[in-house]
Amino acid sequence: MKKFFLIGLLFLLCACSNDNVTLETIIENKKSMAIAINYPLTKIKKLDDEILKYIEEVNSAFKNEYENYDLNSSELNIDYKYFKTDNYINVELYTFINSSILAHPINEIKTIVYDTKKNKIIKLSDFIDLEKLKELVPVIKQKIISKYKDCVVMESLTTEIIPDFSKYENFTISDTLNIYFEPYVITSGFCNIIEINIEIPELKKDKNVEEKTIKHTSITKTINPNQKVVAITFDDGPSKYTSSILDILKKNDACATFFVLGNKVAIYKDTLNKAINYGNEIGNHSYNHKWLTRLSLEEFKNQIDKTQDIIYENTNYIPTLFRPTYGSVNNKIKNNTDLDIVLWDVDSLDWKLKNSKKIINRIIDDISDMDIVLFHDTYKSTEQTIEKIIPMLKEKGFQFVTVSELYEIKKIRNQLDFYK
Ligand code: ZN
């Protein structure tokens, strides 16, 4: 009987550029409220202040409004898009609020455009003058009609699409001028936030094509199936703490599984590639942490597929695991994904305790052979916990495996009649 087995893994290493942008995350799951907020910080003070002001306003308004309803849970989700050109940094912040006391969910957008030459946040009137806006009005109308013919309300076009800058607060600048409208402004609720793109001759295409160097490395692990194993898992990242967590794991010859959010992958692609290169596993934790059991089938699939795609685009890695947000699963989720759904055996409650001593005390005696342990790589206190708890678990005789390796060990043990 073979006592040891090898898991040979082939990994792709990608040398990629790094931006100065970090992602901040607030995820709370209280009795009556589920909150998931993601936003970028750029180290440009004026821009960051504007982003933070919006996040704080929405978050506190949501809490004030919904805190006292505890019959049914309310959900706040803020997601972002970030992109820049030679002259402009663009941030789009998308707010989604759902609650049983609302007739329909609320979808809002806030855009911020930062001019890197003038070092200031600009309005549309800083970019084009009134004469130009007058010229654009018929173009905007035509674009809306052709792109959103199923939901446009024609009377609203007449009152809203006029040469008045106050009507165009949400815009971004890429190789086109992009203008956004929230639902119920010029469209019925049938359409979500709408976006039209207008060609402006001055905005020449300046898309940088990134050079990618792809190098192959292979990692071989030796795991003794007769010895205790534990799978450490992290949700909601990557974040600015993930890279040092990876270093701690590597220092201890340990590995883990990271259930990442699709909307963080591009900014933290270096971290994600490092995780893969160090022999960790990557799983899918949805695109922007929406409460998945409440979504339509199409929206649910979109959350999963978008995340699979962006992970693959940035790392050449295809996840096979999926961890549902808020640990919430139903048959719609079970029957509509090919990914293995992974929950956990031990919950560190790190997001709540935020103190490494308290976290370790809570879980150290509960962790047993074959357990999956839940952490979040979005807190400094979790990084500190990992630094202490990994050597403690090693001392107790645990081997660290990824979730897929844990499944393999289960199979091998069954073949070895381990559980007899
Ligand atoms: Zn989560």
Side-chain angles (χ1 to χ4, degrees):
M1 181 167 38
K2 266 194 218 160
K3 280 200 173 157
F4 291 84
F5 72 105
L6 299 173
I7 300 175
L9 303 162
L10 182 69
F11 291 111
L12 301 170
L13 172 68
C14 166
C16 306
S17 70
N18 201 358
D19 224 329
N20 234 0
V21 180
T22 58
L23 269 190
E24 303 300 314
T25 308
I26 303 168
I27 291 180
E28 292 177 32
N29 187 12
K30 293 185 177 164
K31 199 173 71 184
S32 61
M33 293 188 297
I35 298 175
I37 300 174
N38 293 296
Y39 58 96
L41 286 181
T42 60
K43 299 193 178 74
I44 299 167
K45 187 164 187 318
K46 284 179 198 165
L47 181 52
D48 288 352
D49 285 350
E50 188 73 11
I51 294 169
L52 285 168
K53 197 177 104 195
Y54 177 78
I55 297 295
E56 275 155 25
E57 273 170 17
V58 173
N59 195 7
S60 64
F62 174 78
K63 283 181 176 162
N64 288 339
E65 182 77 28
Y66 297 99
E67 206 148 34
N68 300 321
Y69 300 98
D70 50 13
L71 289 174
N72 278 297
S73 286
S74 303
E75 176 181 10
L76 167 65
N77 187 287
I78 302 182
D79 194 16
Y80 77 97
K81 270 187 203 159
Y82 165 93
F83 53 97
K84 63 182 192 179
T85 64
D86 284 347
N87 296 328
Y88 303 100
I89 299 176
N90 299 275
V91 178
E92 299 169 12
L93 294 163
Y94 291 91
T95 296
F96 168 86
I97 295 173
N98 200 4
S99 169
S100 51
I101 61 161
L102 290 170
H104 51 78
I106 297 169
N107 280 292
E108 288 174 352
I109 182 171
K110 156 90 175 169
T111 61
I112 307 168
V113 179
Y114 186 83
D115 185 325
T116 54
K117 294 261 153 71
K118 295 180 187 148
N119 292 318
K120 65 168 201 167
I121 290 162
I122 59 161
K123 297 195 178 102
L124 187 58
S125 55
D126 297 318
F127 182 67
I128 52 171
D129 60 19
L130 190 60
E131 283 312 302
K132 182 73 185 172
L133 183 60
K134 279 179 187 162
E135 253 176 61
L136 287 182
V137 161
V139 179
I140 297 171
K141 275 189 190 165
Q142 196 45 53
K143 294 238 176 204
I144 293 170
I145 293 168
S146 64
K147 195 168 170 189
Y148 298 103
K149 57 179 180 296
D150 293 340
C151 58
V152 66
V153 179
M154 295 306 262
E155 302 87 80
S156 308
L157 277 186
T158 323
T159 56
E160 297 302 313
I161 308 304
I162 53 175
D164 173 349
F165 281 110
S166 72
K167 301 289 184 189
Y168 313 96
E169 281 179 351
N170 288 311
F171 73 99
T172 56
I173 305 169
S174 54
D175 50 359
T176 51
L177 168 64
N178 315 303
I179 300 180
Y180 308 81
F181 299 96
E182 291 172 346
Y184 305 101
V185 177
I186 45 177
T187 51
S188 65
F190 180 67
C191 275
N192 201 327
I193 293 159
I194 65 166
E195 171 184 347
I196 53 156
N197 317 104
I198 301 159
E199 270 83 48
I200 304 273
E202 299 85 66
L203 294 172
K204 60 178 198 305
K205 300 202 177 208
D206 65 0
K207 279 181 190 161
N208 294 323
V209 181
E210 218 167 69
E211 290 268 326
K212 275 190 183 175
T213 319
I214 295 173
K215 198 170 102 187
H216 298 261
T217 63
S218 69
I219 288 178
T220 306
K221 294 182 190 173
T222 308
I223 299 164
N224 180 352
N226 299 311
Q227 196 188 321
K228 287 194 287 189
V229 292
V230 61
I232 304 288
T233 65
F234 297 95
D235 286 8
D236 302 347
S239 82
K240 59 186 167 196
Y241 306 113
T242 310
S243 186
S244 44
I245 289 175
L246 292 170
D247 293 335
I248 296 165
L249 292 171
K250 188 166 193 263
K251 199 173 74 191
N252 287 285
D253 288 319
C255 62
T257 304
F258 293 82
F259 291 95
V260 303
L261 294 174
N263 67 356
K264 298 183 166 184
V265 166
I267 281 182
Y268 288 109
K269 69 177 175 185
D270 290 354
T271 304
L272 208 57
N273 279 290
K274 176 173 162 178
I276 295 163
N277 192 40
Y278 281 6
N280 298 283
E281 182 163 20
I282 308 302
N284 185 325
H285 190 42
S286 83
Y287 190 77
N288 56 15
H289 216 279
K290 284 259 172 80
W291 196 331
L292 301 171
T293 50
R294 287 183 165 191
L295 299 181
S296 71
L297 180 57
E298 192 191 343
E299 286 169 317
F300 164 69
K301 284 183 170 172
N302 193 30
Q303 285 273 332
I304 302 302
D305 295 347
K306 248 167 98 179
T307 305
Q308 290 295 101
D309 290 348
I310 199 162
I311 292 172
Y312 182 71
E313 282 161 21
N314 284 281
T315 64
N316 292 333
Y317 179 100
I318 303 172
T320 59
L321 306 177
F322 164 60
R323 175 168 282 162
T325 54
Y326 307 107
S328 163
V329 203
N330 60 10
N331 283 334
K332 185 169 71 192
I333 289 180
K334 282 183 194 157
N335 298 334
N336 288 290
T337 178
D338 297 330
L339 303 175
D340 284 328
I341 296 173
V342 181
L343 295 174
W344 54 84
D345 303 299
V346 178
D347 186 350
S348 69
L349 290 185
D350 57 347
W351 62 274
K352 201 172 171 183
L353 298 171
K354 291 183 186 161
N355 173 300
S356 63
K357 233 182 223 160
K358 285 185 190 163
I359 299 167
I360 292 170
N361 284 341
R362 177 188 157 79
I363 58 175
I364 189 71
D365 294 325
D366 285 350
I367 298 174
S368 51
D369 187 27
M370 296 298 280
D371 274 351
I372 297 174
V373 188
L374 170 65
F375 290 99
H376 299 81
D377 53 328
T378 49
Y379 303 99
K380 184 74 190 163
S381 49
T382 299
E383 183 195 321
Q384 292 160 341
T385 303
I386 292 302
E387 185 145 39
K388 291 180 203 147
I389 205 168
I390 296 289
M392 290 168 83
L393 291 169
K394 251 175 125 171
E395 191 66 25
K396 286 177 160 231
F398 281 99
Q399 304 171 99
F400 299 93
V401 293
T402 67
V403 170
S404 289
E405 289 164 356
L406 191 85
Y407 291 165
E408 280 194 54
I409 289 163
K410 201 177 224 168
K411 274 190 229 154
I412 288 168
R413 285 184 180 181
N414 283 335
Q415 286 162 10
L416 298 177
D417 294 332
F418 184 88
Y419 296 108
K420 266 188 184 167

